[in-house]
Amino acid sequence: MSGLLVVVGTGIKAVGHMTLDARAWIGAADEVHYVTTDPITEQMIRGLSPGAQSLARFYEVGRARHDTYEAMTQTLLAGARAGRTVCAAFYGHPGVFVWPSHDAIRRARAEGIRAIMEPGVSAEDCLFADLGLDPAVVGCAQYEATDFLVYRRRPDPSAALILWQIGAVGDLAWNPGRTNADNLRVLVEELVPTYGADHVAVVYEAAQLPTFAPSILHVRLGDLPGAPLTTASTLFVPPRERRAPDPAIVARLALDPRRFGIGA
Ligand SMILES: C[S@@+](CC[C@H](N)C(=O)[O-])C[C@H]1O[C@@H](n2cnc3c(N)ncnc32)[C@H](O)[C@@H]1O
């Protein structure tokens, strides 16, 4: 009797983003556990699997997120260890900024249990569509907001920058609706030397319900500590400057220099 762990994503926008793969696994699994952010997706999951259980019960205000994630991982592993097919459904892409999904898969595999992940539509995918950003054009770096500060990541002013979990910057516990303005000031201090306080960024929230529009709030970096942020906010910082091509590299690659505006 060998168990199976399948991690799927339900996307960001209710109904339309849930892939056929995700629906099939949710419908076929012996047990289903989920983290969703809207009631329609929750209803869909329960329609496909009436016994499905929300993992959100492990969130408690002030509780370290690490503890919550460990409880989620243990729940997923328990069923798979008992030989059941367990489906874990996380909103968005289940492998993008989701600790327990990767952790449960790693630990299941280490115990000889088959474990797989199916991709989903992430907030980043929605951002690319709603803000008209193609990362191929200017490049794009992305970080978790607290990680960006703690590890002193260096932004490239010629590339796009995406900061996730901006509403919880500097907070390792679960405190929805309580963004720390002092922590945002630290973030502003780190960004301003590269971009300037007047550089305009976007506080972005993809629509979670069909027919609704995304929230796209333009904010000067200097005003970020007073911006209205939620647990679903993502910060997009556009590039400040264009990068000049390197003629020596263009020559070594035998590329046409005119294609890069060299010698035009
Ligand atoms: C724990 S991560 C989950 C990400 C999710 N797995 C995904 O694929 O998008 C939570 C963070 O994702 C981003 N996020 C979640 N929902 C969002 C939305 N509707 N619009 C923009 N960003 C969102 C925010 O940065 C938020 O703090």
Side-chain angles (χ1 to χ4, degrees):
M1 185 173 63
S2 57
L4 170 64
L5 172 63
V6 184
V7 177
V8 302
T10 60
I12 297 293
K13 194 178 284 185
V15 186
H17 283 185
M18 203 192 283
T19 63
L20 294 175
D21 270 342
R23 281 171 211 236
W25 279 117
I26 291 169
D30 298 320
E31 54 181 84
V32 175
H33 304 273
Y34 62 89
V35 177
T36 56
T37 54
D38 72 88
I40 300 176
T41 303
E42 181 164 27
Q43 237 175 22
M44 266 182 86
I45 293 173
R46 288 176 161 273
L48 292 164
S49 174
Q53 298 274 322
S54 172
L55 292 167
R57 66 184 182 281
F58 294 118
Y59 284 114
E60 281 169 39
V61 172
R63 183 180 189 187
R65 274 183 270 152
H66 177 80
D67 291 350
T68 299
Y69 298 156
E70 178 60 22
M72 291 179 177
T73 299
Q74 288 301 343
T75 301
L76 302 181
L77 290 175
R81 283 177 183 139
R84 291 192 284 278
T85 295
V86 176
C87 178
F90 291 90
Y91 72 91
H93 185 305
V96 172
F97 292 84
V98 184
W99 176 264
S101 58
H102 287 293
D103 192 32
I105 286 179
R106 257 190 311 268
R107 286 156 72 169
R109 286 177 182 164
E111 293 177 26
I113 297 168
R114 190 171 162 240
I116 57 173
M117 179 183 285
E118 299 286 358
V121 178
S122 73
E124 179 197 45
D125 297 318
C126 300
L127 184 151
F128 289 156
D130 287 330
L131 301 188
L133 172 72
D134 182 344
V137 178
V138 290
C140 180
Q142 54 180 304
Y143 305 97
E144 197 279 333
T146 305
D147 170 290
F148 177 79
L149 289 177
V150 170
Y151 294 98
R152 305 294 300 266
R153 310 283 190 183
R154 295 296 95 204
D156 173 351
S158 69
L161 173 68
I162 298 174
L163 294 180
W164 296 69
Q165 304 200 145
I166 186 85
V169 62
D171 188 353
L172 301 182
W174 172 249
N175 288 304
R178 271 208 285 151
T179 305
N180 186 318
D182 286 338
N183 293 348
L184 282 173
R185 279 185 205 100
V186 178
L187 178 63
V188 169
E189 277 172 30
E190 288 296 305
L191 292 174
V192 162
T194 302
Y195 297 98
D198 286 331
H199 191 65
V200 176
V202 172
V203 174
Y204 170 71
E205 277 186 36
Q208 289 172 294
L209 297 174
T211 77
F212 278 59
S215 167
I216 298 171
L217 185 65
H218 292 90
V219 184
R220 282 176 67 250
L221 284 180
D223 294 335
L224 199 56
L229 301 177
T230 73
T231 49
S233 300
T234 296
L235 187 72
F236 168 68
V237 185
R240 190 199 64 189
E241 64 193 32
R242 275 178 74 89
R243 203 169 176 82
D246 184 332
I249 290 287
V250 170
R252 281 185 67 196
L253 297 175
L255 295 169
D256 179 354
R258 288 168 305 182
R259 169 72 184 72
F260 301 91
I262 300 168

